[in-house]
């Protein structure tokens, strides 16, 4: 059985620590890794739109000296002819050594892993999970704060449909003394199953609020998210909720001096461009980190050490 990453807990805390260490070494000595995956192929199968995740996977494999193939929309694949995910994966695993897959259906990467002969990485499944964004977030927090424990993190925006939030809440629940502040409109609260599985089952306390301003002074990390238009059942609800939170320089007035602001991107309206100049904005660094941690993950799943 190949090693897959479908959920962030498919990796132990120790393994995540090692991936972060490898990513740091890649950042410091990129040339050491330039042939690490020579003659290996990564397939990126994206049944849903993406900019960062797909391109960071591809640029990660290219920086490791490997090759890339794949498709960036379901409409250009045999899916439109009625081929099942299973048969598509069976086919691609004849051409590629590792597959990163994004799909609108929750659980599709898990189903793919059941038939694949090569490692499957979940690059986002519907409103469920996004483990490699979480690895990106953890590397970013580690680089910004020097630790992955003992802080207060605010998750703000669409906590219901935001898969990056679900995965990051789950991942952080394995580290010590993290204080969770969940900031969302009432309709977009963190799903009960995520609270049960990641927080309540481990006895981890959390607070819920609708007001970002009220909690801003407590936060060490602020994880902003966009309202996930594509997961709404009607446009009216989306339009009503889309601008629930807009982070501006004024709203940061009461924030800690060493706050780190993260966002998985794409941003729509929820962070004013003026915030980009604030030294606390870490989201563009986060984009870069996504490439390095994916380089580390690809090597690990292919069993390659440098
Ligand atoms: C996120 C996603 O696809 O879930 N984007 C990403 O991968 N960086 C967040 C989002 O789309 O809002």
């Amino acid at each position: 059985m190949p090693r897959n990453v479908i959920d962030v807990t498919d990796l132990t805390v120790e393994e995540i620590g090692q991936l972060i260490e490898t990513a740091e070494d890649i950042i410091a000595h990129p040339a050491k890794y330039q042939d690490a995956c020579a003659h290996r192929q990564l397939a990126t199968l994206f049944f849903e739109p993406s900019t960062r995740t797909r391109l960071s996977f591809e640029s990660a494999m290219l920086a490791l000296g490997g090759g890339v193939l794949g498709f960036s929309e379901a409409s250009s694949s045999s899916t439109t002819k009625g081929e099942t995910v299973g048969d598509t994966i069976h086919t691609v695993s004849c051409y590629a050594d590792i597959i990163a897959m994004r799909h609108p259906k929750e659980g599709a990467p898990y189903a793919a892993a059941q038939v694949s002969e090569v490692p499957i990485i979940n690059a986002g499944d519907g409103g469920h999970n996004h483990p490699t964004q979480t690895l990106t977030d953890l590397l970013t927090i580690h680089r910004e704060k020097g630790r992955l424990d003992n802080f207060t993190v605010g998750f703000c925006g669409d906590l219901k449909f935001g898969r990056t939030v679900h995965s990051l809440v789950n991942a952080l629940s394995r580290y010590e003394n993290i204080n969770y502040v969940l900031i969302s409109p009432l309709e977009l609260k963190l799903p009960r199953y995520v609270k049960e599985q990641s927080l309540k089952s481990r006895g981890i306390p959390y607070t819920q609020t609708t007001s970002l301003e009220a909690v801003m002074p407590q936060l060490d990390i602020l994880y902003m998210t966009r309202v996930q238009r594509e997961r709404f059942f009607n446009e009216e609800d989306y339009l009503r909720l889309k601008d629930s939170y807009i982070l501006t320089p004024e709203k940061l007035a009461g924030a800690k001096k060493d706050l780190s602001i993260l966002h998985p991107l794409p941003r729509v309206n929820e962070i004013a461009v003026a915030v980009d100049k604030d030294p606390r904005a870490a989201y563009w660094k986060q984009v870069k980190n996504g490439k390095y941690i994916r380089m580390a993950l690809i090597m690990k799943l292919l069993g390659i050490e440098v």
Side-chain angles (χ1 to χ4, degrees):
M1 259 299 257
R3 182 84 195 270
N4 306 302
V5 175
I6 306 301
D7 186 283
V8 73
T9 54
D10 289 336
L11 296 163
T12 65
V13 168
E14 290 69 33
E15 286 175 317
I16 290 177
Q18 289 155 6
L19 289 173
I20 290 176
E21 239 174 71
T22 305
E24 290 287 4
D25 195 57
I26 293 170
I27 293 167
H29 311 285
K32 238 170 86 178
Y33 295 86
Q34 66 192 10
D35 298 316
C37 289
H39 312 296
R40 307 294 189 103
Q41 310 293 330
L42 164 81
T44 51
L45 310 186
F46 277 61
F47 297 82
E48 245 195 5
S50 168
T51 298
R52 271 149 296 269
T53 305
R54 185 173 62 82
L55 295 181
S56 67
F57 264 114
E58 295 186 357
S59 110
M61 192 54 162
L62 294 172
L64 292 167
V68 295
L69 64 160
F71 52 80
S72 56
E73 43 187 329
S75 62
S76 65
S77 75
S78 284
T79 307
T80 47
K81 300 181 185 171
E83 185 167 60
T84 62
V85 165
D87 282 359
T88 302
I89 293 295
H90 202 151
T91 304
V92 175
S93 62
C94 299
Y95 310 139
D97 302 289
I98 183 164
I99 297 172
M101 171 187 173
R102 169 172 287 187
H103 202 281
K105 282 225 169 80
E106 288 80 4
Y110 176 80
Q114 307 312 303
V115 298
S116 180
E117 291 179 9
V118 304
I120 297 280
I121 304 173
N122 177 4
D125 62 327
H128 190 215
N129 274 327
H130 193 346
T132 64
Q133 180 63 46
T134 297
L135 294 176
T136 303
D137 303 338
L138 294 175
L139 173 60
T140 306
I141 294 171
H142 194 265
R143 301 205 87 202
E144 294 298 301
K145 295 270 171 265
R147 61 181 195 279
L148 289 174
D149 48 26
N150 294 292
F151 54 71
T152 297
V153 54
F155 288 91
C156 179
D158 186 347
L159 310 190
K160 179 177 180 186
F161 295 118
R163 57 193 173 194
T164 65
V165 172
H166 306 161
S167 287
L168 184 55
V169 166
N170 193 13
L172 287 176
S173 70
R174 296 191 291 178
Y175 296 88
E176 293 297 311
N177 196 24
I178 311 255
N179 236 321
Y180 291 82
V181 185
L182 308 175
I183 310 145
S184 74
L186 294 175
E187 290 106 313
L188 299 179
K189 283 183 0 194
L190 192 69
R192 188 181 304 177
Y193 86 89
V194 180
K195 282 187 219 149
E196 294 286 345
Q197 274 174 16
S198 304
L199 303 176
K200 289 189 185 162
S201 69
R202 295 185 158 108
I204 300 171
Y206 60 87
T207 51
Q208 296 189 103
T209 174
T210 54
S211 169
L212 175 58
E213 283 88 337
V215 296
M216 186 71 92
Q218 306 169 23
L219 306 180
D220 300 301
I221 295 166
L222 171 58
Y223 194 91
M224 292 295 294
T225 61
R226 107 189 132 87
V227 177
Q228 307 275 301
R229 179 181 207 159
E230 66 275 35
R231 316 248 181 256
F232 274 70
F233 295 108
N234 71 68
E235 185 73 0
E236 254 168 53
D237 287 348
Y238 168 73
L239 294 173
R240 184 167 50 79
L241 293 167
K242 73 183 177 65
D243 293 329
S244 300
Y245 303 98
I246 301 177
L247 187 65
T248 58
E250 296 70 48
K251 287 194 190 141
L252 281 166
K256 287 190 182 172
K257 292 265 174 295
D258 64 348
L259 171 74
S260 299
I261 307 163
L262 275 69
H263 190 311
L265 303 180
R267 113 174 103 187
V268 183
N269 224 3
E270 58 283 350
I271 301 184
V273 174
V275 175
D276 295 10
K277 290 199 288 285
D278 190 303
R280 293 169 288 191
Y283 34 92
W284 292 111
K285 294 188 235 175
Q286 208 177 341
V287 175
K288 279 202 179 166
N289 292 337
K291 171 177 172 179
Y292 303 123
I293 201 77
R294 288 181 173 101
M295 288 171 76
L297 181 66
I298 291 168
M299 287 199 297
K300 178 175 178 61
L301 296 182
L302 290 177
I304 292 169
E305 279 181 36
V306 170

